[in-house]
Amino acid sequence: MSRHVLDAEHYTSPDTLVKEKRYLFGRLWIFVGFTSMVRERNQFFTRKVAGIPILVQRTEAGVRAFINQCPHRLSVIQTEASGKRPMVCPYHAWSFGVEGELRGLPNHGLYQFTAAEREKICLRKLHIEEVGQLLFINFAEQPLPLPEQFSPEYLEQLREASLYLDSQIIYSCHRVRYNWKLNMENVKDYNHVPFVHPKTFLPVMESPVKALIAEPEAPSVVKGLLSRAEAPALSSLSYPTRAPIKPYKSWFSELCEPYRDEHIYYNWFIYPNVNFCSVRGEHFLLQQYDPVSPGETDYHLWMMSARRKDVRTDFTALLSTLIRGERAVIAEDTRVLERLQDGLGAHSASFMHGDYEEHLVQQHLWYRAHVLEVTE
Ligand SMILES: [Fe+2]
């Protein structure tokens, strides 16, 4: 249909993933976790972001992010997924200070480093920003200003909503066999809900597919976008949506402080790879699609209720039920997307997009200009 949208090869090609790592994940602010995961000094979590091992740790200076790798033999510094421990490499016990600088060097006589050499040894520190309770890192030495990626109004919304997140979190990560971009496109595509989730998600929604009421002769938005083929502003790729859900009362709403008191399903799409949602402001989920290979993605999922009124309330059972329900919905998407990915190849035609998929086309136009066709 158009040479401006992405082709199937961009979902299967290792060269494309190399470009994404350099120009997309290497330049944009990427969500990594929640401030509640690093509340106390020396509390940390580790994970991978687009294949790079990351350590987020609260030091005496605040929340800091590093590449989780010792400058000596490149060993991992923190080996657990989360915990509370100073930054000491388990291999030769080098230890690091609040900004990642070398503090202790046991058996230092063996190394014969000069004072000047020793001065330069430090962990590779990454830029990190807190947006309410959401933590974002950036791999660039001079990152783009956060308000360039997310509009100031949108940042304010994220900040406000995230302050309602409870600190008791349930988390899961599973690997799926499709390209990460398919998932971001899938969550922005509300027209799949009646067909893929007829028994799970659909019954909850009041009107899942809001028909685009357009004049029959009105020009197509998508065709207009494609004929101009201009890359949109990066900040337009992240936006909120609201969809009405059938009114109901949940037993736990009185035990927490809901974000809003409306029968609404809230979505905050956070480009490039996060879908942050809330059901009635009573519970929240954050999904992240992290690339492993062109055809494989780590699907991270965090869920929590709104802030508990009393921290002694234990929501373990509630969170287990909520995540089981969410995983059932995700499994329905996974079946479709894994089959889709499995069929992609040189024989595949380009994707087609109707007007309701305007946001997908915008994403493709931005991606073409800033990832595929970069001239350095
Ligand atoms: Fe879905």
Side-chain angles (χ1 to χ4, degrees):
M1 175 176 155
S2 162
R3 64 194 182 283
H4 304 304
V5 294
L6 300 186
D7 302 314
E9 71 164 289
H10 300 120
Y11 295 72
T12 57
S13 144
D15 293 344
T16 300
L17 183 58
V18 168
K19 285 185 177 165
E20 288 173 353
K21 286 186 177 181
R22 187 174 305 164
Y23 302 120
L24 191 77
F25 294 97
R27 283 184 177 169
L28 299 191
W29 290 95
I30 306 293
F31 172 82
V32 277
F34 301 91
T35 53
S36 58
M37 294 158 68
V38 281
R39 267 178 305 173
E40 294 163 35
R41 184 155 61 88
N42 281 335
Q43 207 182 347
F44 69 86
F45 63 85
T46 64
R47 56 168 294 182
K48 280 194 173 173
V49 172
I52 300 177
I54 302 300
L55 163 63
V56 176
Q57 173 134 359
R58 185 178 288 277
T59 72
E60 275 139 89
V63 181
R64 293 291 181 268
F66 305 98
I67 305 282
N68 190 13
Q69 215 159 53
C70 179
H72 176 214
R73 297 290 303 160
L74 311 184
S75 156
V76 162
I77 303 276
Q78 298 289 22
T79 57
E80 304 292 321
S82 62
K84 193 174 162 184
R85 178 182 170 274
M87 295 189 288
V88 181
C89 178
Y91 201 1
H92 302 91
W94 290 24
S95 62
F96 301 90
V98 297
E99 302 292 350
E101 74 283 3
L102 184 68
R103 275 262 179 90
L105 187 64
N107 299 333
H108 62 94
L110 293 175
Y111 299 93
Q112 292 297 310
F113 293 143
T114 65
E117 283 166 343
R118 206 179 140 152
E119 188 88 335
K120 283 195 208 121
I121 300 173
C122 62
L123 299 179
R124 195 177 144 210
K125 194 160 84 167
L126 305 171
H127 291 272
I128 185 160
E129 287 269 8
E130 297 177 29
V131 178
Q133 285 210 55
L134 312 180
L135 294 170
F136 291 83
I137 56 157
N138 195 301
F139 290 112
E141 307 237 315
Q142 307 226 298
L144 79 160
L146 200 61
E148 215 170 283
Q149 184 168 338
F150 309 115
S151 76
E153 307 77 56
Y154 186 65
L155 279 172
E156 195 43 49
Q157 273 197 42
L158 289 180
R159 203 169 279 131
E160 197 213 337
S162 75
L163 293 178
Y164 286 83
L165 304 178
D166 194 58
S167 57
Q168 193 183 354
I169 299 177
I170 194 162
Y171 166 76
S172 79
C173 178
H174 65 288
R175 193 159 288 182
V176 289
R177 292 189 307 273
Y178 56 80
N179 186 274
W180 69 275
K181 295 192 287 301
L182 289 178
N183 216 125
M184 199 57 189
E185 292 163 5
N186 179 60
V187 293
K188 287 183 172 181
D189 167 9
Y190 54 82
N191 186 34
H192 81 275
V193 172
F195 311 108
V196 178
H197 311 295
K199 297 207 176 89
T200 51
F201 199 24
L202 185 68
V204 180
M205 305 309 284
E206 189 74 84
S207 52
V209 180
K210 37 187 186 302
L212 286 172
I213 315 288
E215 299 296 317
E217 298 303 316
S220 151
V221 176
V222 160
K223 283 180 196 135
L225 283 173
L226 291 174
S227 66
R228 287 191 301 279
E230 281 165 19
L234 173 59
S235 59
S236 71
L237 307 183
S238 299
Y239 58 93
T241 64
R242 300 156 52 94
I245 51 182
K246 294 197 178 121
Y248 74 98
K249 183 134 180 73
S250 61
W251 63 268
F252 63 93
S253 68
E254 280 162 22
L255 298 173
C256 49
E257 294 170 48
Y259 160 64
R260 293 279 153 88
D261 188 23
E262 294 172 296
H263 300 285
I264 295 285
Y265 193 98
Y266 304 91
N267 277 94
W268 293 272
F269 300 114
I270 303 179
Y271 192 77
N273 66 344
V274 164
N275 181 19
F276 175 39
C277 334
S278 180
V279 182
R280 271 177 50 93
E282 287 172 355
H283 77 268
F284 295 85
L285 55 141
L286 192 145
Q287 315 171 336
Q288 186 172 35
Y289 325 117
D290 187 53
V292 175
S293 70
E296 281 180 311
T297 300
D298 272 345
Y299 197 123
H300 297 269
L301 174 63
W302 293 264
M303 291 186 81
M304 66 284 281
S305 67
R307 270 190 317 241
R308 283 163 296 167
K309 285 181 180 161
D310 184 340
V311 289
R312 289 168 301 184
T313 305
D314 182 1
F315 273 158
T316 308
L318 168 69
L319 294 175
S320 307
T321 306
L322 290 175
I323 203 166
R324 200 172 311 134
E326 184 59 24
R327 287 289 298 266
V329 177
I330 291 170
E332 293 172 338
D333 291 310
T334 305
R335 270 193 293 278
V336 172
L337 298 179
E338 287 190 340
R339 287 179 188 140
L340 189 169
Q341 178 83 31
D342 186 50
L344 295 179
H347 56 273
S348 303
S350 286
F351 294 98
M352 285 177 69
H353 297 96
D355 262 22
Y356 90 98
E357 294 159 295
E358 178 194 345
H359 286 291
L360 272 62
V361 173
Q362 297 275 29
Q363 232 170 251
H364 284 193
L365 289 172
W366 186 89
Y367 180 103
R368 266 213 175 269
H370 296 276
V371 181
L372 296 181
E373 290 161 4
V374 182
T375 44
E376 278 184 282

